[in-house]
Amino acid sequence: MHEYDLIADWYASQRSGDMGVQEVTALAASLPGGASVLDVGCGTGLPLTRVLIEHGCQVLGVDSSRELLARFQANFPRVPVLCAPIQSCELQALTFHAAIAWGVLFHLRHEEQEQAISRIARALKPGAAFLFTSGDTHGSIDGEPMNGVPFRYHSYSVDGYRELLRTHGFTLEATHTDPGGNFHYLSRKTG
């Protein structure tokens, strides 16, 4: 998203907390040693890519912001990245044991979210986990600007995500809201 290119320095300085660390740590701990993980919307890689790497995962970062990826590569120079929107990203027949999409799907319009989930589903091995954040109410809203840059957010309801995931070969296993008000979905590829 070009909006993140406009606020990359500010965003990098703000994204240093532990948001998502507990959830990604639990996911990483459940994976086999050396598991391959697709990190969708990886941003700067902090803190979540670091969690995956510390657990021995082999990560591929994908983000559409060149500016955030430049910071990612400074933080993790040996981790491969692709600069592309996930809904049109070419993963060249790569397959992964898991995927995370933290703080990214809700930036995509509804039809783009479906394209993204379809693309992720094709890249995951059977039984792979897909952990992501989004809203829990169907609709689109204008959010508070970040560092003066406006953002629009889109979400399905929980039942809407359950159906969308099912359509693309996933079973929704769990949802929860963290103390920061972020809504998490844990799904698993069934076939």
Side-chain angles (χ1 to χ4, degrees), residues 15-106:
R15 187 69 173 105
S16 58
D18 62 356
M19 185 172 28
V21 168
Q22 179 180 344
E23 292 79 9
V24 173
T25 298
L27 174 68
S30 74
L31 298 173
S36 56
V37 180
L38 179 62
D39 187 349
V40 178
C42 60
T44 66
L46 298 174
L48 302 182
T49 305
R50 179 173 52 211
V51 169
L52 294 169
I53 292 169
E54 287 172 352
H55 280 81
C57 297
Q58 303 300 310
V59 177
L60 173 64
V62 176
D63 205 294
S64 62
S65 168
R66 289 190 186 285
E67 292 296 323
L68 291 183
L69 280 180
R71 285 147 185 87
F72 181 101
Q73 291 178 303
N75 292 329
F76 305 102
R78 292 185 181 90
V79 176
V81 296
L82 293 173
C83 185
I86 188 58
Q87 63 271 27
S88 60
C89 183
E90 289 299 327
L91 297 172
Q92 297 105 9
L94 299 172
T95 56
F96 300 89
H97 293 97
I100 64 170
W102 216 263
V104 64
L105 286 185
F106 53 66

Side-chain angles (χ1 to χ4, degrees), residues 77-175:
R78 292 185 181 90
V79 176
V81 296
L82 293 173
C83 185
I86 188 58
Q87 63 271 27
S88 60
C89 183
E90 289 299 327
L91 297 172
Q92 297 105 9
L94 299 172
T95 56
F96 300 89
H97 293 97
I100 64 170
W102 216 263
V104 64
L105 286 185
F106 53 66
H107 286 304
L108 306 176
R109 294 185 315 271
H110 291 102
E111 63 275 7
E112 292 173 326
Q113 288 187 42
E114 181 168 5
Q115 294 165 357
I117 289 171
S118 174
R119 184 74 49 152
I120 292 164
R122 288 194 302 269
L124 291 180
K125 297 175 183 285
F130 175 34
L131 176 65
F132 67 96
T133 58
S134 196
D136 61 351
T137 304
H138 186 87
S140 300
I141 61 167
D142 291 320
E144 290 294 318
M146 283 195 278
N147 199 37
V149 175
F151 284 83
R152 187 148 175 84
Y153 300 97
H154 314 274
S155 178
Y156 288 94
S157 65
V158 174
D159 286 338
Y161 278 116
R162 181 178 286 110
E163 181 60 25
L164 180 59
L165 289 163
R166 187 196 61 73
T167 298
H168 293 286
F170 291 100
T171 299
L172 181 59
E173 292 188 343
T175 62

